[in-house]
Amino acid sequence: MRDIEQIQWEEARSALYGFFSQAFIRGPSQQFLAALISDEGTMNLREIFPDAAYRQELAQVRLESREGRLTLEGAVLDFEALFRIPGTCYLSPYESVYRAQGAGGRCRLCGPEAAAVERLYLKEGLGPSGKFSELPDHVGVELEFMAFLCRKAIEAIKAGDAATAQEYHHQQYCFFMEHVGPWVRLLAERLASQAQTSLYRFLGNFLNLFLELEGNLLFLPGGEQPVGRVTDASLAQGVGQ
């Protein structure tokens, strides 16, 4: 793959990981909705993901928003019920909880997975900051770390440092396989089934599709392909601002 194609590929993936990260951490805002349902936002998604699997659900989000059936207030209430307030719709956004459930153990926060990912963040100089107040193994923080690793690969490619770029791609692979892959798709599936709004049903199914492609295609030896061209990363910039 040529450098320009590799950069486009990493930029597209970074934008999507950042998009999902902010959707899980900050929740919806007016700018978030506007960016998602705009013609420009839809076009950017099509450039990154020509697959039509998600288009019907996105069209439903756009239709409901324009007709007033999907409101910012309703989306915020859905987000709060799903990720902030324990109740019938609550989904724990923490890896430690999901991994303990899968192993048949007692669900608890700050398990060994949280400590493991925190060590990886610190290794990259990413200590606690005002940007995120969530625990290290929160889904949004883990997805943001994937976006960070993509950006570091881009920096290395632009600097002509192929060895460092390969190392960051290897870190992406390891982090995905050891942390993101084993549980985030399950969370996405549950999100799509338990969300009360078309917005979060769409986000759950779209995240599931994206991670399936990451696991089954993008990390295969020699399988790296440019996902698409990101013109201005408007989706990533529009989330939660």
Side-chain angles (χ1 to χ4, degrees):
M1 186 185 298
R2 294 177 302 173
D3 284 354
I4 185 64
E5 293 174 333
Q6 183 75 25
I7 289 171
Q8 290 173 350
W9 179 64
E10 298 284 2
E11 284 179 340
R13 295 174 58 242
S14 176
L16 282 170
Y17 273 118
F19 168 67
F20 286 119
S21 169
Q22 297 308 309
F24 283 112
I25 289 177
R26 296 180 182 176
S29 68
Q30 194 61 55
Q31 188 173 357
F32 169 84
L33 285 174
L36 183 62
I37 68 175
S38 68
D39 291 340
E40 184 178 20
T42 300
M43 181 171 24
N44 281 339
L45 278 179
R46 287 179 178 175
E47 289 178 343
I48 297 171
F49 269 96
D51 193 309
Y54 66 89
R55 291 186 185 176
Q56 184 174 355
E57 288 187 333
L58 178 56
Q60 186 67 27
V61 172
R62 299 182 71 188
L63 176 64
E64 290 187 12
S65 178
R66 290 171 178 172
E67 292 181 347
R69 289 183 287 146
L70 173 64
T71 64
L72 177 59
E73 179 182 11
V76 170
L77 289 174
D78 199 19
F79 170 77
E80 295 286 336
L82 287 163
F83 299 114
R84 295 281 176 83
I85 304 172
T88 56
C89 294
Y90 179 72
L91 299 170
S92 176
Y94 301 104
E95 181 184 357
S96 297
V97 173
Y98 275 77
R99 300 291 284 270
Q101 287 176 341
R106 181 180 178 183
C107 299
R108 61 190 179 95
L109 296 176
C110 299
E113 294 79 14
V117 296
E118 185 173 31
R119 285 193 296 269
L120 294 173
Y121 304 158
L122 292 173
K123 183 179 178 182
E124 290 298 322
L126 301 174
S129 68
K131 184 176 182 181
F132 297 130
S133 60
E134 303 291 350
L135 296 173
D137 63 337
H138 186 284
V139 60
V141 180
E142 292 194 3
L143 294 176
E144 177 57 32
F145 187 61
M146 285 294 295
F148 168 83
L149 294 175
C150 292
R151 293 193 297 269
K152 296 299 289 186
I154 292 169
E155 291 177 7
I157 296 168
K158 290 182 176 179
D161 189 344
T164 299
Q166 183 60 36
E167 171 60 25
Y168 275 111
H169 189 62
H170 179 67
Q171 287 190 46
Q172 293 171 31
Y173 172 82
C174 292
F175 192 76
F176 183 92
M177 298 302 292
E178 294 173 11
H179 294 286
V180 175
W183 76 283
V184 179
R185 286 194 65 193
L186 176 59
L187 172 63
E189 290 173 1
R190 292 178 178 176
L191 173 59
S193 66
Q194 293 183 210
Q196 300 300 300
T197 62
S198 58
L199 173 63
Y200 274 94
R201 285 193 293 272
F202 161 73
L203 289 173
N205 284 322
F206 187 36
L207 176 60
N208 198 358
L209 170 65
F210 173 55
L211 295 181
E212 179 182 15
L213 292 176
E214 285 280 272
N216 294 341
L217 174 63
L218 300 180
F219 289 133
L220 291 176
E224 298 93 337
Q225 298 293 330
V227 180
R229 178 172 58 87
V230 177
T231 56
D232 59 7
S234 63
L235 285 174
Q237 294 171 357
V239 178
Q241 299 296 321

